[in-house]
Amino acid sequence: MKTFLKVFAFNVAVIAFFLWVGNSIPQLRQDPPQELVLAADAPVEDFVKAGQEIFYGKGTCALCHEIGKKGERCPDIAGAGERAEARVKEERYKGKASNGAEYLVESLHEPTLYVVEGYQPSMPALGRQLSDLEMVAMVAFLQSQGGEVTVNGQTRFPKWRGEGGSAAPAAPSAAVAAPAVALSAGAPGADLVQQWGCNTCHKFDSPDRLIGPSLWDIGKRKDAHSIRESILEPDAVVTEGFPPAVMKATLDGNGFYQKVSLHDLHTLVGYLASLKGGQ
Ligand code: HEC
Ligand code: HEC
């Protein structure tokens, strides 16, 4: 009987443990909603596929870049893998990234270090918004465009991701990364426009103009896609009667493009799209 009780208690403990694990993992994974479930030991093809999803989805890369077509504002991504290898050998690039994969990571963290000829240095630094594995996926996908995929789930880019060894932004484990996600998930759109100072230039509760146009009915005038574009690239289409460049410069200055998380960007766009002029 005693043995039975011991076994019974052990089983209860095991079941409780699995229930706990089962409940805690989906919570970590839940947010942001479309997060890819990438494991460090996933095959390289999975990383390429995941990178493609990020490119066309939450990475917002496809907002500017096309594949197989040279854009007026942004370079073609076709052949990016091959070109990355060639770039690092160029004289003007000496002393920076040492191989193609590193060049690609760098172009996401510090786009202005190498500005492609014929283009403006207008690419936002989106690198910080990707987790370590998402960055591997992004690089794998870019390399697969005309080049050889040299990264895998074990690859890390500490030079750009770790800020001189501090673990916080590049935290490799879900457990460490989760609290940051949870925190930002709590901030609703109305708080974000204050946090990033959008409300110093835009009215959200009346049609009055400040430095920028009132946004209280922006959801009636623009869809989510063009709202996202006016935030990421304010000068692509300048609203008539308003000054160009100030929004971009101010947001650059307060680190918005470097620091805003993809999740917050989604929340912000969703919030603006919901504003219909006090109706
Ligand atoms: C707001 C527009 C915009 C967005 C969004 C954007 N880019 Fe760019 N990107 C550019 C521009 C403009 C350039 C060329 C100027 C430069 O080199 O910085 C560029 C350059 C690049 C390069 C260098 C290409 C080369 O031939 O060396 C890569 C790689 C790249 N982008 C990848 C991405 C990825 C991946 C994303 C999404 C995570 C992304 N970009 C998002 C505008 C953008
Ligand atoms: C320094 C002032 C300034 C700040 C800060 C600022 N903006 Fe703007 N914004 C402008 C100006 C000026 C325009 C109109 C010119 C243009 O289209 O670039 C504009 C245009 C826009 C538009 C397009 C409006 C339309 O009627 O089509 C949107 C959307 C927008 N801003 C959102 C934001 C968000 C979101 C933030 C905060 C993350 C922000 N802005 C921060 C000045 C600012």
Side-chain angles (χ1 to χ4, degrees), residues 189-200 250-251 253-261 264-265 268:
D191 290 352
L192 291 171
V193 299
Q194 289 197 7
Q195 180 189 332
W196 293 110
C198 319
N199 59 339
T200 58
T250 307
L251 291 184
N254 71 18
F256 175 81
Y257 295 111
Q258 291 73 37
K259 288 189 232 143
V260 71
S261 71
D264 284 359
L265 187 60
L268 208 47

Side-chain angles (χ1 to χ4, degrees), residues 36 38 43-56 137-138 140-141 144:
L36 298 146
L38 269 179
V44 166
E45 307 84 75
D46 283 10
F47 280 99
V48 173
K49 225 163 60 209
Q52 182 174 25
E53 268 176 50
I54 297 169
F55 188 89
Y56 287 104
M138 197 71 258
F141 173 66
S144 78

Side-chain angles (χ1 to χ4, degrees), residues 58-120:
K58 64 182 217 169
T60 68
C61 322
L63 209 58
C64 296
H65 292 283
E66 290 183 83
I67 296 180
K69 188 161 162 250
K70 198 176 146 203
E72 242 165 68
R73 289 187 274 130
C74 311
D76 190 358
I77 290 297
E82 198 184 6
R83 264 197 315 278
E85 294 295 339
R87 298 257 198 258
V88 294
K89 298 192 185 91
E90 282 181 30
E91 191 59 35
R92 68 160 163 149
Y93 196 71
K94 263 223 168 98
K96 295 171 188 163
S98 53
N99 59 46
E102 288 184 2
Y103 169 83
L104 291 168
V105 176
E106 189 179 81
S107 62
L108 294 176
H109 277 283
E110 281 185 68
T112 48
L113 265 188
Y114 185 111
V115 177
V116 181
E117 234 161 275
Y119 292 96
Q120 295 297 314

Side-chain angles (χ1 to χ4, degrees), residues 189-251:
D191 290 352
L192 291 171
V193 299
Q194 289 197 7
Q195 180 189 332
W196 293 110
C198 319
N199 59 339
T200 58
C201 295
H202 297 286
K203 274 280 193 192
F204 290 87
D205 56 0
S206 78
D208 306 325
R209 60 182 284 166
L210 298 174
I211 295 168
S214 165
L215 297 180
W216 87 317
D217 63 345
I218 184 76
K220 254 188 357 207
R221 294 189 282 115
K222 285 187 160 176
D223 64 8
H225 179 88
S226 42
I227 290 174
R228 194 177 298 119
E229 188 168 39
S230 5
I231 297 172
L232 284 178
E233 218 182 346
D235 297 326
V237 183
V238 176
T239 312
E240 230 187 284
F242 290 95
V246 285
M247 172 164 158
K248 175 96 177 177
T250 307
L251 291 184

